[in-house]
Amino acid sequence: MLTRPILALAVASFGIGTTEFVIMGLLPEVAASFAVSVPRAGLLVTGYALGVVVGAPIMAVATAGLPRKSTLLALMAIFIVGNVGCALAPSYALLLAARIVTAFAHGAFFGIGAIVAGEVAPAGRRGQAVALMFTGLTLANVLGVPFGTALGQAAGWRAAFMAVVLIGLAAWIAIAAYVPRGVEPPRSRIVAEFRALGRWPVLLPMLVSCVSSVSLFSVFTYITPLLERQVGFSPHGVTGALLAVGVGLTLGNLIGGRLADGNLLGAIQWGFVGLIAVLLVMALVSHAEPSVARYARPALVRDARWAMIVVLTLWGALAFALVSPLQVWVVHAAVDAPNLASILNQGAFNLGNALGAGLGGLALTAGLGYAALPLLGAAVAAGGLLLALRGRASRDAAVAPAERVTAC
């Protein structure tokens, strides 16, 4: 199933995922390099996410009707140039600008790449093919980010971006060699495609994608202080806990791809149910300060750190088990505008990233505390479940199993 075209796309997604998240582990080094505060350096994370949101519709219009292979190669070229700019940036402002340029390639690449992966997959395995492409993104959290952070700390943060440039070059070569040229978009006018996206059955899965991301990042953005202050993890222990999240993301992504090839909406709805349950357990595990945790917690979760590692693994798995089914849902719902819908759905995911971080920040500012964040994430996930249930109830939004869909 892991064919050469899908492997090439996975390598590219690994590079994109690494450059998106590696900056989080290098903020102190970047801040010191440009003599700015760490919170200001944090705008490099926010700026990238907003670059994806803004860039998705722009790149969707710019690439409408173009050959998909040529478009993927052009997007990887933008990615490579952007990361070279990051590595060589002489000032903080230019580094931020280079990050935004790089982000413009993100949404369009994953949007078009998901369609290409589905087209080259055997019949009935489109969901699995999309999941395999996104495996590069999840492995970036397991391998790319830790190794990139270690490289940046040892050889300077610029070295991490140069390593990403090498990954981008390898991906460009692999796409050029292995992605077939016969995977072309249907001829249509961009105005007609945008009109198709105005239908509720198409907007609904994008909204659900955004909500699922809000639920994830309202907690994930602040996971380090939550683990250290509420559960008693050391900084070294946090690294191991985040590795557990990355393993869960990877496994959940693969499981979600298989589920997407069966009962698509059912997989999404039950995914939200599981996500809500795990977040409620996370709130239970983290509800007491470390100093009193061993007395306040029930015996089952008294060793909070081990319990939290199990919970984090399940949480990552359930959160990313939704990604491929949601991407497949939006493409199926927009059969007359698949390119545009797939790209904009990536923008919806990243809009959720920014909104989730902001929502979690508002909760902390209001004095709710880190232990309340899993409850906040569960409440948002409950909203996603209600929207997904509405998708099943609506005749127009009903989606056939992936194997019965002729266009992806």
Side-chain angles (χ1 to χ4, degrees):
M1 179 61 194
L2 187 59
T3 61
R4 288 180 176 180
I6 295 175
L7 179 60
L9 296 171
V11 171
S13 68
F14 177 80
I16 294 172
T18 300
T19 203
E20 179 179 13
F21 296 116
V22 74
I23 192 68
M24 297 179 184
L26 298 173
L27 285 183
E29 287 77 12
V30 173
S33 176
F34 293 118
V36 299
S37 66
V38 171
R40 187 181 178 193
L43 292 176
L44 296 169
V45 180
T46 306
Y48 187 96
L50 294 179
V52 177
V53 175
V54 174
I58 294 175
M59 298 304 292
V61 173
T63 61
L66 296 179
R68 286 172 177 158
K69 179 173 181 176
S70 300
T71 301
L72 291 174
L73 290 172
L75 291 170
M76 283 311 299
I78 293 173
F79 172 81
I80 292 167
V81 171
N83 278 286
V84 170
C86 290
L88 302 179
S91 68
Y92 171 81
L94 289 177
L95 175 58
L96 179 59
R99 289 279 291 171
I100 294 173
V101 168
T102 307
F104 267 51
H106 181 122
F109 185 90
F110 278 112
I112 296 174
I115 294 175
V116 172
E119 290 287 347
V120 301
R125 293 192 175 182
R126 290 190 172 98
Q128 295 177 58
V130 173
L132 286 171
M133 187 199 75
F134 277 102
T135 298
L137 180 62
T138 60
L139 286 177
N141 286 278
V142 179
L143 301 175
V145 172
F147 282 109
T149 299
L151 175 62
Q153 292 171 343
W157 61 267
R158 297 178 189 274
F161 285 103
M162 287 308 300
V164 172
V165 170
L166 296 178
I167 297 172
L169 288 170
W172 193 96
I173 293 171
I175 292 170
Y178 299 131
V179 172
R181 291 193 174 274
V183 185
E184 306 300 344
R187 295 185 177 274
S188 61
R189 296 190 305 171
I190 191 65
V191 174
E193 288 205 11
F194 270 106
R195 189 179 299 117
L197 295 184
R199 301 193 307 266
W200 174 244
V202 181
L203 293 175
L204 177 59
M206 292 187 188
L207 180 58
V208 177
S209 296
C210 182
V211 170
S212 72
S213 190
V214 171
S215 174
L216 174 61
F217 278 85
S218 63
V219 182
F220 198 24
T221 305
Y222 309 97
I223 194 65
T224 296
L226 186 153
L227 293 175
E228 290 179 350
R229 301 181 188 184
Q230 293 297 137
V231 191
F233 277 90
S234 66
H236 179 72
V238 169
T239 301
L242 294 180
L243 178 62
V245 176
V247 171
L249 294 177
T250 303
L251 295 176
N253 177 58
L254 295 173
I255 294 170
R258 288 186 174 275
L259 295 176
D261 289 326
N263 184 354
L264 184 57
L265 282 179
I268 294 169
Q269 291 157 8
W270 282 108
F272 274 115
V273 170
L275 190 59
I276 294 167
V278 168
L279 285 167
L280 292 177
V281 175
M282 185 187 296
L284 172 65
V285 174
S286 61
H287 81 287
E289 295 292 337
S291 59
V292 297
R294 55 183 174 179
Y295 305 108
R297 290 189 179 94
L300 182 63
V301 292
R302 193 161 289 165
D303 190 347
R305 289 171 297 178
W306 284 109
M308 182 59 84
I309 287 177
V310 174
V311 170
L312 289 173
T313 305
L314 292 173
W315 175 53
L318 288 162
F320 250 69
L322 290 168
V323 172
S324 295
L326 287 170
Q327 189 72 21
V328 171
W329 183 12
V330 74
V331 172
H332 289 175
V335 291
D336 43 356
N339 266 26
L340 192 57
S342 190
I343 293 172
L344 292 183
N345 198 50
Q346 291 301 308
F349 275 121
N350 279 269
L351 177 61
N353 295 0
L355 292 176
L359 183 61
L362 288 175
L364 295 174
T365 302
L368 294 181
Y370 291 104
L373 293 181
L375 295 176
L376 177 63
V380 175
L385 174 60
L386 292 176
L387 289 170
L389 290 171
R390 183 170 181 179
R392 168 158 294 198
S394 172
R395 178 180 59 84
D396 292 332
V399 181
E403 63 266 20
R404 296 207 304 265
V405 178
T406 57
C408 187

